[in-house]
Amino acid sequence: MTDSKTDIQHSNNSSKFPSINKRIILRTYIVIIWLMIAQILLIVTERVSYEDIKYLFWTESVLVPLLYVLYTKGVPDQLSREQEKEQKKEIFVLVFSFACMIMVIFMAMLNGY
């Protein structure tokens, strides 16, 4: 016998997007955010110009919505209690990283860039 919820979930996840582990996507978001922070700081400190690294910004701009779609289409993990705590920590790091990125963006705006 098959469970109807399992069949519905399987039919919802059988899209064109692969189902990727959500932890991998969270970690990728964190890496992208810190990469953007580094790029903004490099531009603000005039180590490189925007023209030198503009393609990285464009790539990151495309990756963020794609990763969101992959995250929402991902298969929910059956996590143990310890893995749930670890995932909550990763989400906290993601939120902290996003807050740092916002501060760096405002700092760059105040410096006239």
Side-chain angles (χ1 to χ4, degrees), residues 32-46:
I32 288 173
I33 288 173
W34 283 103
L35 183 62
M36 289 178 82
I37 290 171
Q39 291 169 351
I40 292 168
L41 290 175
L42 285 172
I43 292 171
V44 168
T45 58
E46 298 178 356

Side-chain angles (χ1 to χ4, degrees), residues 24-72:
I24 293 171
I25 296 172
L26 284 174
R27 290 178 181 172
T28 307
Y29 264 126
I30 294 168
V31 169
I32 288 173
I33 288 173
W34 283 103
L35 183 62
M36 289 178 82
I37 290 171
Q39 291 169 351
I40 292 168
L41 290 175
L42 285 172
I43 292 171
V44 168
T45 58
E46 298 178 356
R47 301 280 180 179
V48 296
S49 69
Y50 173 74
E51 295 297 321
D52 294 337
I53 59 174
K54 68 181 175 184
Y55 297 112
L56 287 174
F57 277 111
W58 293 351
T59 305
E60 292 161 354
S61 300
V62 171
L63 277 178
V64 170
L66 176 66
L67 287 173
Y68 177 75
V69 171
L70 290 175
Y71 184 81
T72 58

Side-chain angles (χ1 to χ4, degrees), residues 40 44 102-113:
I40 292 168
V44 168
I102 296 298
M103 287 189 295
V104 168
I105 288 171
F106 282 127
M107 179 194 71
M109 288 170 42
L110 290 174
N111 283 336
Y113 288 95

